[in-house]
Amino acid sequence: MLTRPTADTYRSLIAQTSAHVAGRFETTTQPFSGASRAELQKLVDDARLDGEGVGSEQAVREIDELFLEHAVWFHHPAYAAHLNCPVALPAVAAETVLAAVNTSVDTYDQSAVGTLMERRLIAWAADRVGFADGSGVFTSGGTQSNLHALLLAREAALAATALPRPRALARLAVFATASSHFSVGKSALLLGLSDDAVIEVQGDGEGRMDAAALALALREAAASGRLPMAVVATAGTTDRGVIDPVDAIADACDEHGVWLHVDAAYGCGLLVSPRRRHLLTGVERARSVTVDFHKSFFQPVSSSALLVRRPRDLAAGAWHADYLNPLENDEPNQVDVSLQTTRRFDALKLWVTLRALGPDRIGEMFDTVIDLAASVGDEIAADPELELVGRTQLSTVLFRVRPAGADAAAQDALVAGVRRVLFESGRALVAKTVIDGRPCLKLTLLNPQTSLGDIRRILEMVKDAATTLAGIAPEFDEALAGAEVSA
């Protein structure tokens, strides 16, 4: 156990562990080892979890041999798959402190200054949004933040109607686009809303919500007896990386008295961008906002927050227990405003990063990856072997590969096959998705040290894999169709 008598042992064990990690950062040459799932499963199964322990030093060596050897490395320039980022060094140092002290920020008497530091950071982030007197709480991620926001919106909508709660619940409606995060639909299920509670609002053809279509959908829903509960605008869609017209959406919400939630899990880095803050114009009019610092603020997972314009809105989710946070207690207990009870002091990572780098530097790093995505888009648009699928406002790039002789169906089938070939080699990681009914490859660029040359090498790997797959057998289409299913 980590106590006063074991402080020297702790010092030695952390040094040993950090040496292993640093060694991997220095020697890793590709984002994944390329080991098969069967090989990895055998390594995991061979580790004995019962019986005598092997000792701390041996167990730490096994971390290196089992996990670090086969981890997926987000810092590597050939990693370009999902919304994962390399992490700021000051935040990594803070993680070491979090694990050792093991603070829980649910109540003040468990965290003391930690609670005050988190509340200061929440006030800082709310002010960046434009919530002059806003509040909020750190969460585990965007999914929890969105769920929490919709819980508060549900309670506000129920409080505003004279209908009995069961009847009102059945009529509540949430408005979002097909590009909204999947957690919107999942939250509706968890909140006990009807199966048709999420009403899909028409987009503008490029993945953004059409504000005029929203206004029409709100009128039609109200006319049919539905109770509009919330509109979810997205500031940075997962696939296209585009931003809904928040200001125009806020106009429609204000007209109909509907809660506006902005999911800025991806685009929150714009809050500190020296050049692109204007892309979030109107976000200050929202009732609640999701921000994921573990995306565009380069923080280790997890580091997210829900921000609200009116602090009193958070009271709708409060629950009191005599042994934890009794009503008569005047201490600033964060469990009063959180869906979680035990909760890590994740705010410390962002605190240290802001103190070490300053917000402008973080914003410059986010601007750098957005600039890179624009350059990559230009490269793909100019390459006859590739097809660019739309433009982004953030740092995703959607494209298809089109080797000579491959028709549209074959190009679609290649998507899963190319992704699988690259993943199984471990040389590069790209993602795949579906846009307007057709599959495509996706690059998500969140490493400010990745260069255009690095991405060019990935694109060459993509084209080589596609050419190989397209020429492996006369029954090309059937083989690729099988690859698509398996991937």
Side-chain angles (χ1 to χ4, degrees), residues 332-353:
N333 293 324
Q334 299 270 79
V335 72
D336 295 349
V337 296
S338 175
L339 296 185
Q340 298 170 262
T341 304
T342 302
R343 187 164 56 83
R344 298 178 82 240
F345 181 30
D346 286 316
L348 181 65
K349 296 176 287 191
L350 181 60
W351 180 283
V352 174
T353 304

Side-chain angles (χ1 to χ4, degrees), residues 406-407 409-411 413-414 469-470 473-484:
D407 60 15
Q411 291 169 20
L414 277 168
L469 286 170
E475 58 273 15
F476 156 60
D477 289 341
E478 290 78 6
L480 288 179
E484 185 169 5

Side-chain angles (χ1 to χ4, degrees), residues 10-96:
Y10 163 78
R11 188 178 292 112
S12 173
L13 198 60
I14 292 300
Q16 177 188 347
T17 306
S18 62
H20 285 307
V21 176
R24 291 292 178 180
F25 272 92
E26 290 170 341
T27 60
T28 295
T29 58
Q30 56 185 49
F32 176 55
S33 68
S36 69
R37 188 187 304 178
E39 292 170 329
L40 296 178
Q41 189 66 61
K42 185 177 187 310
L43 290 173
V44 171
D45 292 344
D46 285 349
R48 294 181 58 198
L49 299 180
D50 292 311
E52 294 292 327
V54 298
S56 297
E57 291 190 5
Q58 175 60 28
V60 166
R61 280 196 293 272
E62 287 183 5
I63 291 177
D64 182 50
E65 297 162 359
L66 175 60
F67 177 65
L68 295 179
E69 171 72 21
H70 302 291
V72 176
W73 293 94
F74 302 147
H75 78 283
H76 194 280
Y79 181 87
H82 302 287
L83 278 166
N84 308 115
C85 60
V87 290
L89 272 170
V92 178
E95 277 281 11
T96 306

